[in-house]
Amino acid sequence: MANAVLLSKVRLWIKLGLKTALAVPGLLLKSRQPYVRVLFYHRINPYTFHDLGAVSRELTVQPDMFEAQMRYLARNNYRTLKLEEFYRMMAGTQAIDAKAVLITFDDGYEDNLLWAAPLLAQFGFSAVVFIVSDFIGKSTADVWPNSDPTALGMFFNEAQISDWKRAGFEIGSHTKTHPLLTTLPGEQQLDELSASKNALEVRFGDPIQSIAYPGGDFDQVTAGCVFEAGYSLAFTTIPGVNRPSHSMMSICRTEVSASDSMLVFRAKIAGVLDWLAFKESHTFRQFMARLNRLLIPLAQSKQANND
């Protein structure tokens, strides 16, 4: 465990250092035209760093940091959007509000309700959580390697999703089982997309018009399947901003994670890190996937040898 935790900390330090340094050239490249920014998070919780699984360590934002981020938005007169208003801005039927953001969460962790929801409500903010329909009521230990202890890795159950919606927040789809969609044939992609949409609509009543691609993975075939399944908005993990000319099937989002200091968060809101969209290229993503496959088992192997 000690080696795995140290590796996670080193990765976070490297990411923080790189983001801070790379914000400087971004000052010359930031957009000057009106746009809408979409933020995306995964987990908000106070769980101890070494108790979480390797993936959650890098995805978890501590509640005090999340509160500071939301306070920064509020003090700088930002407001949050609902999906329908965001759609109208993207469709060009409503003027772009430069002080509007859409806040989203991926996967549907219960800590979004336990820790994020009260802080969002404190500032009068709204948010959307993208739910993996087959993960409802399960934990990361049920579905993923490098998972969390069961009690620390729970996804929403049905009652919690209903509580989330009653609090004024929204839900969208994150597919049925969270695959990398481009690795599947078109008919299986369509099934993942349609089954999740139908399941969430049947269980919770409201039309599901938006989806977030698992891992940000999509191509033209995937976008076509999304449209065929009946979605009107599809969200990527590509950093950047959105204007009415932007494709509804490839909405950009700005990730906020454990490796973001307040300085980095402010830089992301200002747009000076948007030029790092290259990291979402197929080549870079494949490189990082290979690196993760190498490093995480290596740390676990060292720990096993020490034990």
Side-chain angles (χ1 to χ4, degrees):
M1 173 65 77
N3 286 330
V5 171
L6 178 59
L7 176 60
S8 294
K9 288 183 177 179
V10 169
R11 285 168 58 93
L12 291 183
W13 293 333
I14 292 172
K15 288 182 177 181
L16 174 58
L18 286 173
K19 290 174 183 177
T20 303
L22 293 172
V24 177
L27 289 170
L28 302 175
L29 300 170
K30 62 178 292 189
S31 174
R32 309 295 176 181
Q33 298 177 343
Y35 57 76
V36 179
R37 184 172 302 281
V38 181
L39 301 178
F40 86 98
Y41 295 82
H42 285 84
R43 307 200 60 181
I44 310 295
N45 63 65
Y47 305 142
T48 305
F49 188 82
H50 72 266
D51 286 338
L52 291 169
V55 175
S56 286
R57 290 180 198 133
E58 299 194 26
L59 298 180
T60 294
V61 175
Q62 291 285 312
D64 58 348
M65 177 59 78
F66 185 68
E67 181 177 6
Q69 292 166 355
M70 297 301 101
R71 180 174 291 109
Y72 174 82
L73 294 177
R75 285 180 174 174
N76 285 276
N77 301 314
Y78 284 92
R79 68 181 184 90
T80 54
L81 297 171
K82 295 287 186 107
L83 285 167
E84 177 59 33
E85 188 177 10
F86 176 79
Y87 179 85
R88 291 197 301 270
M89 288 184 182
M90 293 301 97
T93 59
Q94 179 174 330
I96 294 291
D97 182 351
K99 284 293 187 177
V101 295
L102 177 66
I103 297 176
T104 68
F105 296 86
D106 281 5
D107 300 335
Y109 295 94
E110 72 165 7
D111 58 33
N112 298 169
L113 177 68
L114 299 178
W115 300 98
L119 292 170
L120 290 164
Q122 177 181 327
F123 295 99
F125 289 166
S126 59
V128 184
V129 60
F130 292 107
I131 294 168
V132 184
S133 58
D134 273 12
F135 287 8
I136 295 172
K138 296 181 179 179
S139 75
T140 57
D142 296 321
V143 298
W144 283 330
N146 307 307
S147 58
D148 311 284
T150 298
L152 305 186
M154 295 301 298
F155 296 105
F156 277 128
N157 58 38
E158 289 197 20
Q160 289 170 326
I161 294 173
S162 295
D163 289 343
W164 173 266
K165 292 177 75 254
R166 273 195 296 271
F169 305 121
E170 298 180 282
I171 64 172
S173 168
H174 205 34
T175 72
K176 179 183 177 184
T177 64
H178 199 279
L180 293 178
L181 287 167
T182 64
T183 66
L184 304 178
E187 62 271 16
Q188 286 184 246
Q189 293 190 43
L190 184 58
D191 178 68
E192 280 282 342
L193 297 162
S194 298
S196 176
K197 186 178 191 297
N198 293 337
L200 293 174
E201 288 177 343
V202 168
R203 292 187 191 188
F204 304 106
D206 296 335
I208 301 297
Q209 302 294 331
S210 63
I211 185 161
Y213 299 113
D217 184 59
F218 77 105
D219 58 19
Q220 288 186 340
V221 172
T222 307
C225 291
V226 166
F227 184 78
E228 185 177 349
Y231 295 96
S232 56
L233 288 169
F235 293 83
T236 72
T237 58
I238 300 171
V241 295
N242 304 283
R243 301 182 182 89
S245 59
H246 205 95
S247 168
M248 299 285 199
M249 296 293 102
S250 59
I251 300 297
C252 292
R253 292 192 295 169
T254 300
E255 182 177 19
V256 187
S257 65
S259 59
D260 293 346
S261 64
M262 276 305 299
L263 176 62
V264 169
F265 179 78
R266 292 195 296 269
K268 286 185 172 182
I269 295 298
V272 299
L273 285 170
D274 289 344
W275 71 282
L276 296 178
F278 73 85
K279 74 182 182 66
E280 293 299 319
S281 68
H282 179 74
T283 300
F284 188 85
R285 289 169 65 84
Q286 290 294 103
F287 169 75
M288 291 304 299
R290 287 194 295 269
L291 186 63
N292 285 330
R293 287 196 295 269
L294 173 66
L295 292 179
I296 291 176
L298 181 62
Q300 292 173 334
S301 174
K302 288 182 178 179
Q303 179 60 34
N305 291 335
N306 290 340
D307 291 343

